[in-house]
Each structure stands twice: as C-alpha cells, then as structure tokens.
Amino acid sequence: MNGKKICALLCLLALITGLPGEGTPVPAGAPVEIEVNTPPLVALTFDDGPRSSTTGPLLDGLELREVPATFFLVGNRIPGNEELVRRMAAEGHQIGIHTYDHVELKGLSRRDFDLQVGKTRALIAELAGEGNYWLRPPYGLMDERAKSWCGGPVILWSVDPEDWKDNNIDRIVACVVEQASDGDIILLHDLFPNSAQAALRIVDALLAKGYCFVTVEQLMEERGVVPEAGVRYRKIN
Ligand SMILES: [Zn+2]
C-alpha cells in the first residue's frame, strides 16, 4: 500500500471514529489531518535486457514479492523476447527505451536518433500498447540535440553498484543496501544472471528495512514531480 493510500485510509478512519484523539472535539464535516510516516521509496531499474534466461527468472522473483520495477530495453533484443515485454506490461512494471543498438546518443543525425529511439519505442508500443515510454541513454550520455528530440523525461540513476564489473553478488547487494536512501533510483543490468539474483536479494533486504518499491513513474508521482521532456532525473525525494 503506498503512502497516499495509507493516508487516505487513515483519514477515512478518522472521519468514522472521530480521531485524532479522545476528547478532541471534531466539528462535523471538518477536515481531519493526521501526520502519517510514509515508508521510504526506491525505484529498481534494469538496463540492457530483455534476455530470456535472466529477465524471465527476475520477473518470477519480482512477481512473487509483488515488487514493480522499471526496465529500459535495448530494441534489438526485443525480437524473440516479445513475451517478456508483454509480461512486464501485464505485471505492472514500467518499460522504457535504452536505444536500439545500445549506442551513445551523441552526435547523431535526426534520422539515426529516430532509428535508435523511435524504432525501439514503436516496437515496445506494438507489444505493450501506446504509452509514454521514457528514455535512459546508454552510459547516461546525451547531447543537447538528442535531449530536444527525446519527447519525454530522461531517467538517470543515483545508486550504481557497477554490477557489470565483477558480477559478485555479495558485493553488489552490500553496495546497494548500504547506499540506498529514500528517493533513490537504483541501476542494475538484467543481462547478467548474477545481477538478477542480486536484485532479488536487494529487494528482500530493503523490504526488511521498511522500503517500498515503486516504478520511476510512481516515484515521481508520489513526490509531486511533473516529468518534463528533455530533463534528466537522478534521485526523486
Ligand atoms: Zn546500457
């Protein structure tokens, strides 16, 4: 249950039971305000997939834990993995674009930009329906022209365990769990089996610490941040 829902529920209870306190007169119809400690939020994000042998088990683990994530897909990995993309959408995950060939979005012509971003967007829309598919540029790099063409917010990250470096599950888990704080966007790569396993251990550890997992879009919505096209977002708190 998210913070808003908790707050709404408590407000409703307050109206029914006459909270906030015994002996506190509450005039009929008056708004009741209660301060509620909302749980810290984090967004888990995965780049470079989909890959059936790793993304599939990861989706199974996330489903079991009822945890949503955000997947930034490489377009040329979608053919042959269509079912994974449909499953992401059906199970409440956010889907975004990570270019077609995993290229730097710097110095590209408009035509090449459209081949990398527009083509991937069209492939995703074909499988997951028309929607607003946000962009994560490979290596976090984009020039001003690419920013002006992207048509949506640019999602970077605030916690990066560099999981591609050594694929060491214990190190990746410890790095993220020690660093994570409210509003973080965590970067992992579902291309690697060890990263997928580390991700589920990270989920378990942060759930035990009271964190709530949301998609990047939900994180911005919860924090009242209106996404702007061409603007880069790293941490939302
Ligand atoms: Zn990447």
Side-chain angles (χ1 to χ4, degrees), residues 5 65 93 132 146:
K5 282 182 190 156
R65 293 160 175 81
H93 301 294
N132 204 351

Side-chain angles (χ1 to χ4, degrees), residues 47-48 74 98 102 138-139 189:
D47 289 4
D48 296 4
V74 169
H98 198 48
H102 204 272
Y139 319 105
H189 298 80

Side-chain angles (χ1 to χ4, degrees), residues 183-198:
D184 268 325
I185 296 176
I186 300 163
L187 169 64
L188 290 166
H189 298 80
D190 55 322
L191 201 59
F192 309 119
N194 286 6
S195 296
Q197 286 181 47

Side-chain angles (χ1 to χ4, degrees), residues 10-11 13 24 29 59 63 70 85 108 112 121 129 139 149 160 190 193 209-210 214 225:
L10 284 173
C11 289
L13 277 173
T24 310
L59 287 171
E63 186 187 19
T70 304
V85 182
L108 296 186
D112 285 342
R121 180 175 281 133
Y139 319 105
W149 294 333
D160 177 8
D190 55 322
K209 287 176 87 172
V214 287
V225 176

